[in-house]
Amino acid sequence: MGERSENKMTFRGVRSSKFRHVYGRPARKINCYECMKITKNAHDSHFCAVNPKFVAIVTESAGGGSFLVIPIEKTGRLEVNAGKVTGHSRPVLDIKWNPFNDNVIASCSDDCTIKLWFIPDEGLMRSNMTKPIMDLHHHYRRVGNVEWHPTAENIIFSAGFDNIILIWHVGKGEVVKIIDCHPDSIYSMSFNRDGSLLATTCKDKKLRIIDPRQGMVLKESLCHQGSKASKVVFLGDTGRVFTTGFSKFSDRQWAVWSQHDLGSPLRMESIDSSSGVLFPYYDHDTKMVFLAGKGDGNIRYYEIVDEAPWCHYLHQFLTGSPQRGLGFMPKRGLDVMSCEIFRFYKLHATKDLCEPVSMIVPRKSERFQEDLYPDTVAPTPALTAEEWLNGKNRNPVLLSLKTGAGARTNKPVLYQPDYTTELNNEQKFLSVALNNRVGHKDVSNGDNQNNNVINNVRALDVTNQNKVIELKKRRLPWLEEEKTENGTIVCDVVSSGTLPMASYVAMNDSESSSDSEVEQDEPKTKTEVICFFI
């Protein structure tokens, strides 16, 4: 009798969850973005990137590649002559906003390049943007994916069809590491919570866990057996990864894996027999995974738990309009007073329309719901690029959505084209400054004075001149002075007009010693002025 009673007690009824009744709410037409020619490229990408300031959408273009950048509040019909970012010579394949600067976006393209763009707060208005603030060249085949590091500033990863992943230090504009462990095309990549590990899926049907700084594969195993693309997302700091793909019978699947043992999945389930590639989206604050297929009209959502069966199906958002791609808003851009826990920006496949879709937890109270909104990731880097490259790991800096909801970064940009100035132009400007006779008429009679100045310049230490030039070239346009208050570094990344109460304090290790940028004294003499502009 004891054994029979234990067997009967295994059924526990309906599982209790505060996200069991989550529903999708599409935006009204007045809050959508209309009349844009969304790209029809067959590449497996989102084609949309969103932050609290802008919506970026890859568009069709007759030759070259372009994408739109629309201020988040400018909904409705798009102007015919609206400005675009048109600097790529081939179609744009992926775009991602900098998580620590809402005005900087990275794009990659068929032209084998990655470009960084600075978007002014008012948007592009009616003029096209053709010149990036940084142009990164190293891939020799098209670049399909870009990802910003989640905790380190100025670190970006790019995956190309040359089967390599490049780690870029955009503060220097150079490659700091090449990860060459994939024999075929890379389908997707995802970071864990602190950015110390990278998960990838590849055309060889394998899932890999990689140490990006060492370029070593820690674990690898066969993933989904189908021939179509598979995708992966790290489940935060849980030690597990979530993948989507196809079975050998072309059924769509999802699976949960332990990052420490990829021999077999913790759980694998089939969904349906549709042909669209499934994209997983993970929200670490609510421990929910959203699945959206290309060409589907629905969005499924699941809840992740720390014990078997590891993942519970909740519900799905159903529509009759298929989607070409989906972008999503960072947590700090959501409407917390309406209990919005996730927001998609759906690119319609049959219309020129971008439609926001909010995922809502039904609550009657209009107060801030602390159980739905734990502290979330702030737009503040936890590490410098040098600290991360030297082996440091640190969890993201967090902010409270009770006071920090709607936070936007506000970093001034000073356009200083020193790092793009050609050498011949530098020589020409130098000859003008010295009243040199080469190529220019000398209208003054102070030849002796000019000769003395030239001799003084030649007598300067050449190494110091090269150091000054190198520092000027390394300086990114959006880097600003760090503010200190009582010895603590304070990152002023919140617009005072938008949210005066929120502030972000970056954690400072007493053991770490990051190299600060060398400041040059203001030139005082004529010789110093000439040397400063060499």
Side-chain angles (χ1 to χ4, degrees):
M1 291 295 294
E3 292 180 358
R4 293 180 180 178
S5 62
E6 288 180 2
N7 292 334
K8 290 181 180 179
M9 292 299 292
T10 56
F11 176 74
R12 294 179 296 176
V14 178
R15 190 180 68 91
S16 175
S17 172
K18 57 189 171 186
F19 303 112
R20 191 158 57 95
H21 299 289
V22 169
Y23 66 95
R25 185 178 67 190
R28 299 171 60 187
K29 186 176 181 181
I30 193 174
N31 295 324
C32 297
Y33 306 87
E34 299 182 87
C35 300
M36 59 190 71
K37 295 183 179 179
I38 302 170
T39 180
K40 295 181 176 60
N41 197 310
H43 180 65
D44 294 324
S45 178
H46 305 297
F47 297 128
C48 181
V50 189
N51 66 21
K53 280 188 178 181
F54 302 103
V55 178
I57 301 169
V58 181
T59 59
E60 280 288 289
S61 58
S66 63
F67 59 93
L68 282 166
V69 178
I70 310 169
I72 198 78
E73 66 277 0
K74 290 190 177 181
T75 57
R77 299 175 66 91
L78 185 71
E79 295 183 7
V80 177
N81 55 352
K84 298 180 182 179
V85 178
T86 59
H88 285 284
S89 59
R90 301 290 298 276
V92 176
L93 299 182
D94 196 15
I95 49 177
K96 293 288 169 57
W97 288 104
N98 187 336
F100 311 123
N101 191 334
D102 286 342
N103 295 83
V104 175
I105 188 171
S107 61
C108 62
S109 168
D110 263 349
D111 61 7
C112 309
T113 67
I114 303 100
K115 300 181 189 294
L116 304 186
W117 311 86
F118 174 80
I119 309 298
D121 284 340
E122 65 274 10
L124 300 181
M125 307 302 285
R126 298 183 178 181
S127 59
N128 290 340
M129 179 176 287
T130 59
K131 293 183 180 179
I133 56 176
M134 187 160 290
D135 200 348
L136 306 175
H137 297 260
H138 199 281
H139 288 281
Y140 57 88
R141 294 190 66 184
R142 58 180 177 151
V143 187
N145 294 285
V146 288
E147 288 286 347
W148 291 91
H149 194 275
T151 60
E153 191 171 29
N154 295 334
I155 295 292
I156 191 171
F157 284 51
S158 62
F161 282 77
D162 47 10
N163 307 337
I164 61 174
I165 296 176
L166 300 181
I167 306 177
W168 300 85
H169 187 330
V170 298
K172 301 178 180 179
E174 63 185 22
V175 176
V176 294
K177 188 67 181 178
I178 299 177
I179 302 175
D180 189 5
C181 59
H182 298 86
D184 214 325
S185 301
I186 301 163
Y187 285 143
S188 67
M189 52 184 175
S190 175
F191 290 99
N192 64 343
R193 181 73 166 169
D194 61 4
S196 60
L197 296 176
L198 181 72
T200 64
T201 54
C202 181
K203 195 174 181 179
D204 65 353
K205 305 178 184 179
K206 286 188 177 182
L207 168 67
R208 292 175 174 85
I209 307 296
I210 302 171
D211 182 346
R213 285 168 292 205
Q214 301 296 326
M216 295 173 53
V217 178
L218 303 180
K219 300 288 182 180
E220 70 174 348
S221 175
L222 284 175
C223 189
H224 300 278
Q225 300 294 320
S227 58
K228 293 184 180 180
S230 57
K231 302 293 180 179
V232 62
V233 62
F234 247 110
L235 298 178
D237 54 4
T238 62
R240 298 187 295 275
V241 295
F242 190 97
T243 61
T244 60
F246 293 81
S247 69
K248 58 183 178 181
F249 302 110
S250 296
D251 293 331
R252 294 198 295 188
Q253 297 175 322
W254 61 261
V256 180
W257 309 74
S258 170
Q259 71 180 43
H260 307 291
D261 182 13
L262 299 182
S264 61
L266 298 175
R267 185 183 177 189
M268 180 178 288
E269 293 288 340
S270 295
I271 301 176
D272 55 28
S273 299
S274 297
S275 59
V277 175
L278 279 173
F279 289 88
Y281 303 83
Y282 177 64
D283 179 18
H284 184 71
D285 298 338
T286 59
K287 302 295 190 295
M288 291 179 64
V289 170
F290 299 86
L291 297 185
K294 215 168 187 181
D296 293 354
N298 59 344
I299 301 174
R300 298 175 176 88
Y301 34 99
Y302 301 78
E303 186 175 3
I304 302 297
V305 293
D306 294 330
E307 58 185 7
W310 308 107
C311 184
H312 293 279
Y313 172 77
L314 294 174
H315 203 51
Q316 62 178 334
F317 168 69
L318 286 169
T319 64
S321 302
Q323 58 228 6
R324 188 178 300 279
L326 286 170
F328 65 95
M329 174 69 75
K331 208 59 175 287
R332 56 192 168 91
L334 301 182
D335 182 6
V336 297
M337 303 314 295
S338 64
C339 297
E340 182 184 30
I341 60 171
F342 211 82
R343 187 192 304 164
F344 289 101
Y345 284 75
K346 175 180 175 179
L347 304 182
H348 283 243
T350 57
K351 309 175 190 175
D352 296 333
L353 179 68
C354 176
E355 178 187 32
V357 177
S358 299
M359 310 308 294
I360 306 293
V361 177
R363 294 278 176 94
K364 292 183 178 180
S365 175
E366 296 181 356
R367 300 179 60 185
F368 178 76
Q369 306 293 314
E370 294 185 359
D371 61 323
L372 298 182
Y373 300 105
D375 290 350
T376 192
V377 177
T380 303
L383 293 168
T384 64
E386 288 74 17
E387 287 175 338
W388 183 79
L389 291 171
N390 290 332
K392 278 197 171 185
N393 296 321
R394 190 177 291 157
N395 284 326
V397 179
L398 303 179
L399 68 92
S400 172
L401 287 177
K402 190 171 185 178
T403 58
R408 303 180 177 188
T409 61
N410 184 22
K411 297 186 180 180
V413 171
L414 302 176
Y415 284 99
Q416 299 176 357
D418 296 332
Y419 63 93
T420 57
T421 305
E422 297 181 359
L423 183 61
N424 57 352
N425 288 336
E426 293 181 357
Q427 297 297 330
K428 182 173 69 174
F429 294 149
L430 176 61
S431 64
V432 173
L434 297 177
N435 288 330
N436 199 334
R437 295 171 182 267
V438 180
H440 300 276
K441 291 186 179 181
D442 188 3
V443 295
S444 64
N445 294 324
D447 292 338
N448 293 332
Q449 184 178 0
N450 292 337
N451 291 332
N452 292 334
V453 172
I454 294 173
N455 292 333
N456 290 334
V457 172
R458 292 174 178 173
L460 290 174
D461 188 359
V462 177
T463 58
N464 289 337
Q465 297 180 21
N466 293 335
K467 190 174 182 180
V468 172
I469 294 173
E470 184 179 359
L471 286 170
K472 290 167 68 179
K473 290 184 178 181
R474 287 182 181 181
R475 186 173 302 171
L476 277 177
W478 64 82
L479 290 180
E480 58 178 336
E481 302 273 341
E482 288 182 338
K483 301 179 181 179
T484 58
E485 293 181 2
N486 300 326
T488 303
I489 300 175
V490 179
C491 300
D492 183 15
V493 297
V494 181
S495 173
S496 59
T498 305
L499 191 65
M501 296 179 60
S503 61
Y504 308 99
V505 180
M507 293 174 288
N508 189 16
D509 286 346
S510 58
E511 299 178 358
S512 64
S513 58
S514 58
D515 297 333
S516 59
E517 191 174 345
V518 179
E519 295 293 335
Q520 298 296 320
D521 296 332
E522 294 183 359
K524 299 178 180 179
T525 66
K526 186 174 181 180
T527 303
E528 292 178 355
V529 171
I530 296 170
C531 295
F532 186 79
F533 288 101
I534 291 179

